[in-house]
């Protein structure tokens, strides 16, 4: 009888230990919401390649939290707030993910962040609108610069270096456009440069001929276009070129990728823009990232690839350092209290969860890509 009880106890202990070991090896699930279809599907493709490279590196190095692997679960936001919300909800309720990476379009990210607030760790890799991190969500972090940070540097360059006497402005009715326009107006105060015309349009607009005609009638020295959708950006610049263009031309920061430049078929040549990433002249960690990305995907990375890569790496490193995948207060404190090594250099996050890229690059469209014009250290 005693022998039987001893055997039973041994079996029970073994089962418990086996269960503990199995639990220790359960993967840490991270949801990744990207535009895999729809008008910005190119961003989704680029972002997924960045995420997969990060996944390969993390798991190849032994995972996190004592050997647990990372598992990425993808869903499609299709370029609309409704689909973004549905994707986040599905990953949280059905996928039971421990963190969500979501944020390419500012309006969509605002809708998604209302769902994740106080429920799960949320890292926004790409969307720029300041309003996203103004909500006071303690578990929300933004890897990309805010629109105001990027715009302040860019507008200083446009006004102080290019020195147009007059600017005409056009952009889609979005939170991103609103943030950029407000920053431009502040930047123009006391500069001697005047904003002579502003034209906003809805997402459904496809013919910009009348808008361009109206802007040309104002006779500005510079046209400034603010739009984050590649296909529409290409269409806008084609229609601008059909009407002869403008003496100086600029496009919003962080939004000019090959997915817009190539279909524009030369119409964006010479357009000035800016971003937190450029492959030209890369050294150190950035050069290593580019080399590894090229080896894995047979294409060059872009800013979207980079920030999604960084988002995956940040979540994994913070969970590992905090020693937990579910204590979001501790993970968030860990993110804010530390400096994180990335291909761009060291990133630190402020009280609102915002990171600032160490450098910002003024670029000009040249051929099928952008070329470096000037670089700035972000203070």
């Amino acid at each position: 009888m005693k022998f039987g009880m001893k055997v039973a106890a041994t079996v029970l202990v073994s089962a418990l230990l086996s269960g503990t070991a199995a639990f220790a090896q359960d993967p840490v699930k991270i949801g990744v919401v990207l535009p895999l279809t729809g008008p910005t599907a190119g961003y989704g493709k680029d972002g997924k390649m960045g995420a997969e490279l990060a996944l390969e590196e993390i798991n190849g190095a032994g995972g996190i939290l004592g050997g647990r692997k990372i598992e990425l679960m993808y869903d499609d936001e299709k370029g609309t707030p409704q689909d973004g919300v549905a994707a986040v909800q599905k990953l949280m309720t059905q996928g039971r993910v421990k963190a969500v990476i979501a944020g390419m379009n500012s309006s969509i990210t605002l809708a998604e962040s209302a769902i994740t607030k106080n429920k799960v760790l949320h890292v926004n890799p790409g969307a720029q609108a300041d309003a996203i991190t103004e909500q006071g969500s303690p578990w929300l972090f933004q890897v990309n610069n805010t629109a105001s940070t990027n715009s302040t540097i860019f507008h200083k360059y446009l006004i102080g270096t290019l020195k147009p006497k007059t600017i005409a402005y056009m952009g889609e009715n979005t939170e991103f456009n609103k943030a950029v326009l407000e920053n431009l107006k502040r930047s123009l105060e006391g500069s001697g440069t005047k904003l002579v015309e502003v034209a906003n349009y809805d997402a459904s607009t496809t013919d910009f001929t009348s808008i361009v005609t109206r802007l040309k009638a104002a006779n500005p020295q510079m046209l400034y276009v603010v739009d984050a959708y590649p296909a529409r950006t290409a269409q806008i610049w084609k229609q601008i070129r059909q009407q002869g263009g403008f003496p100086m031309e600029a496009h919003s920061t962080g939004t000019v990728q090959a997915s817009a430049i190539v279909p524009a078929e030369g119409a964006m040549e010479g357009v000035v823009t800016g971003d937190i990433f450029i492959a030209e002249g890369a050294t150190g960690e950035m050069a290593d990232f580019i080399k590894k990305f090229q080896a894995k995907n047979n294409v060059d990375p872009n800013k979207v690839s980079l920030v999604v890569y960084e988002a995956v790496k940040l979540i994994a490193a913070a969970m590992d350092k905090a020693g937990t995948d579910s204590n979001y207060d501790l993970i968030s404190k860990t993110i804010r209290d530390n400096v994180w090594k990335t291909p761009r250099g060291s990133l630190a996050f402020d009280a609102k969860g915002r990171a600032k890229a160490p450098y910002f690059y003024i670029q000009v469209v040249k051929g099928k890509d952008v070329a470096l014009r000037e670089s700035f250290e972000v203070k």
Side-chain angles (χ1 to χ4, degrees):
M1 187 67 149
K2 289 182 179 180
F3 176 76
M5 291 175 64
K6 186 175 182 180
V7 170
T10 301
V11 170
L12 177 60
V13 170
S14 297
L16 289 171
L17 290 173
S18 175
T20 302
F23 174 77
Q25 297 306 313
D26 284 348
V28 178
K29 296 179 180 180
I30 299 174
V32 184
V33 179
L34 294 168
L36 302 174
T37 60
T40 55
Y43 289 163
K45 179 181 178 182
D46 296 334
K48 189 172 183 179
M49 287 190 288
E52 289 296 315
L53 176 59
L55 177 72
E56 182 179 281
E57 291 179 2
I58 295 163
N59 288 344
I64 65 172
L65 299 171
R68 294 173 66 187
K69 302 295 186 181
I70 294 290
E71 179 183 339
L72 299 181
M73 301 181 69
Y74 294 94
D75 214 319
D76 187 5
E77 46 103 310
K78 302 177 185 177
T80 73
Q82 302 95 309
D83 288 305
V85 166
V88 168
Q89 288 177 325
K90 180 181 175 183
L91 288 169
M92 289 171 60
T93 58
Q94 297 181 29
R96 298 189 179 280
V97 296
K98 295 295 186 178
V100 170
I101 295 170
M104 285 292 124
N105 171 283
S106 293
S107 297
I108 297 172
T109 308
L110 277 166
E112 292 167 339
S113 62
I115 303 302
T116 61
K117 187 175 182 180
N118 296 323
K119 293 180 181 177
V120 71
L121 181 69
H122 180 175
V123 175
N124 158 30
Q128 299 181 55
D130 294 59
I132 296 167
T133 43
E134 289 289 355
Q135 302 174 89
S137 179
W139 303 337
L140 173 64
F141 295 88
Q142 183 163 318
V143 172
N144 195 5
N145 285 355
T146 61
S148 61
T149 298
N150 282 341
S151 295
T152 296
I153 301 170
F154 189 53
H155 295 160
K156 183 178 180 180
Y157 177 83
L158 294 183
I159 297 164
T161 301
L162 300 186
K163 300 182 185 300
K165 292 182 179 179
T166 52
I167 297 176
Y169 177 103
M170 64 181 288
E172 185 196 354
N173 285 312
T174 62
E175 285 294 330
F176 174 56
N177 169 55
K178 179 181 176 182
V180 174
L181 182 56
E182 288 177 352
N183 186 279
L184 176 63
K185 289 177 178 178
R186 288 195 300 271
S187 299
L188 288 172
E189 292 175 2
S191 69
T193 299
K194 293 183 179 180
L195 183 62
V196 293
E197 189 66 80
V198 174
N200 292 317
Y201 50 85
D202 295 326
S204 59
T205 305
T206 56
D207 187 350
F208 302 92
T209 305
S210 61
I211 293 176
V212 176
T213 300
R214 175 180 142 202
L215 296 178
K216 285 189 75 69
N219 196 31
Q221 285 193 330
M222 175 181 284
L223 174 65
Y224 185 10
V225 179
V226 177
D227 199 295
Y229 283 82
R232 188 169 59 213
T233 291
Q235 184 71 4
I236 289 170
W237 283 105
K238 282 183 176 181
Q239 293 183 21
I240 290 168
R241 206 58 65 225
Q242 288 167 2
Q243 295 197 45
F246 295 78
M248 289 183 274
E249 297 169 335
H251 197 95
S252 50
T253 65
T255 61
V256 177
Q257 312 287 341
S259 53
I261 297 170
V262 173
E265 299 178 320
M268 295 186 72
E269 187 74 16
V271 172
V272 177
T273 186
D275 212 336
I276 60 173
F277 167 83
I278 191 166
E280 181 182 342
T283 59
E285 295 290 333
M286 182 62 80
D288 289 342
F289 165 75
I290 292 171
K291 183 178 180 180
K292 288 183 290 187
F293 188 94
Q294 290 170 332
K296 181 175 176 61
N297 299 295
N298 295 314
V299 295
D300 293 332
N302 58 22
K303 192 275 296 293
V304 175
S305 311
L306 173 67
V307 292
V308 177
Y309 168 90
E310 290 181 342
V312 176
K313 297 278 274 193
L314 173 68
I315 291 170
M319 286 180 172
D320 196 48
K321 194 173 187 69
T324 176
D325 66 357
S326 54
N327 185 335
Y328 299 130
D329 284 333
L330 181 56
I331 296 168
S332 297
K333 184 177 186 301
T334 301
I335 292 175
R336 288 187 175 90
D337 288 352
N338 289 275
V339 176
W340 304 94
K341 185 178 179 181
T342 77
R344 288 182 281 160
S346 298
L347 286 188
F349 293 82
D350 66 15
K352 292 182 178 180
R354 296 170 173 172
K356 281 188 178 180
Y359 297 96
F360 183 83
Y361 305 97
I362 301 297
Q363 306 164 351
V364 61
V365 176
K366 185 177 181 181
K368 296 181 179 180
D369 206 341
V370 292
L372 178 64
R373 177 170 283 187
E374 194 168 341
S375 61
F376 294 89
E377 188 172 358
V378 180
K379 301 295 185 181

